[in-house]
Amino acid sequence: MLRHNHKNAVYYRVDAISPTKTKKSVSGWIWRGYLKPGYNPNFTKVKSISLDNATNEEYNQFIKQSKYQQLTRDILALFPNSTVSKPLSRYALFREPKDKIINNVATFKAMDDFLNVKNRLTNQQRLAKIKAILEANGYTAANRQKKYVIGIYLTNFQWSDQYDTGDMHQGFVIGTK
């Protein structure tokens, strides 16, 4: 709390680093009345987003805008008439019953196994493997034209030994209404 014009007001210290190559640091104080909850609506350089804090709209904008979500967009393109649900995406990750917003949800052990092990595949190679898993489970090109509710959370990185795999988790499920 700071005192300004003989009144107490709450200010926050803000530190930011420019995403450009210069990595210029900017910092200062901002009155809390100028802030609102949520994410910066420009997701172009955002690597990940918390499903606990984001709204459904913010999560969908993140998928559409983030350069790190190309594989997610490629998978969603396989389901052109479907929508992404943030709660169902949480279900894809954690399998918590409260996030299962519809009763009929398909989970895929082979998909979970594939998404959550180390690999050095390109996005095209991953997409081919994901398509094969889907087709093996009856989600052929014709079936993928139906309207589904998709739960998906991909971090879009290549596994390497520098990552602690215990902290990395990805998920994919398909729900029907």
Side-chain angles (χ1 to χ4, degrees):
M1 188 168 324
L2 298 173
R3 193 154 180 83
H4 181 69
N5 290 338
H6 305 290
K7 294 181 183 177
N8 289 334
V10 176
Y11 285 79
Y12 295 106
R13 171 116 179 128
V14 178
D15 296 301
I17 297 175
S18 169
T20 63
K21 291 182 181 179
T22 62
K23 302 288 185 206
K24 183 178 176 184
S25 176
V26 179
S27 63
W29 293 89
I30 188 166
W31 175 58
R32 76 170 169 188
Y34 291 136
L35 301 173
K36 65 180 183 177
Y39 285 91
N40 175 344
N42 179 2
F43 290 106
T44 56
K45 295 183 180 171
V46 175
K47 289 184 180 181
S48 66
I49 190 170
S50 168
L51 291 176
D52 291 331
N53 299 326
T55 65
N56 198 62
E57 182 179 312
E58 288 170 332
Y59 185 55
N60 276 277
Q61 281 302 110
F62 164 70
I63 290 171
K64 288 177 185 169
Q65 293 178 2
S66 175
K67 67 181 179 181
Y68 301 98
Q69 289 296 298
Q70 186 59 54
L71 180 58
T72 301
R73 289 190 294 272
D74 292 343
I75 293 168
L76 294 174
L78 300 173
F79 298 89
N81 300 312
S82 299
T83 58
V84 175
S85 161
K86 183 201 83 159
L88 203 57
S89 296
R90 276 189 47 77
Y91 182 76
L93 282 176
F94 306 116
R95 300 298 200 272
E96 292 181 11
K98 70 179 178 73
D99 296 319
K100 189 177 176 185
I101 58 169
I102 50 181
N103 290 330
N104 192 13
V105 177
T107 60
F108 311 93
K109 181 169 178 4
M111 185 78 73
D112 292 339
D113 292 345
F114 172 68
L115 291 175
N116 292 299
V117 296
K118 290 183 181 183
N119 74 67
R120 290 180 174 81
L121 302 177
T122 66
N123 278 354
Q124 289 75 23
Q125 292 169 322
R126 288 183 214 171
L127 182 62
K129 177 69 173 168
I130 289 166
K131 281 172 78 172
I133 293 169
L134 290 169
E135 289 181 5
N137 285 276
Y139 291 91
T140 61
N143 289 342
R144 293 191 307 256
Q145 301 304 310
K146 297 177 183 176
K147 291 184 179 183
Y148 296 105
V149 180
I150 305 291
I152 187 168
Y153 187 86
L154 301 179
T155 50
N156 233 31
F157 63 89
Q158 289 187 323
W159 289 99
S160 71
D161 293 331
Q162 74 186 32
Y163 294 110
D164 175 10
T165 58
D167 291 341
M168 301 296 182
H169 195 70
Q170 303 182 102
F172 179 81
V173 297
I174 300 174
T176 53
K177 294 182 179 180

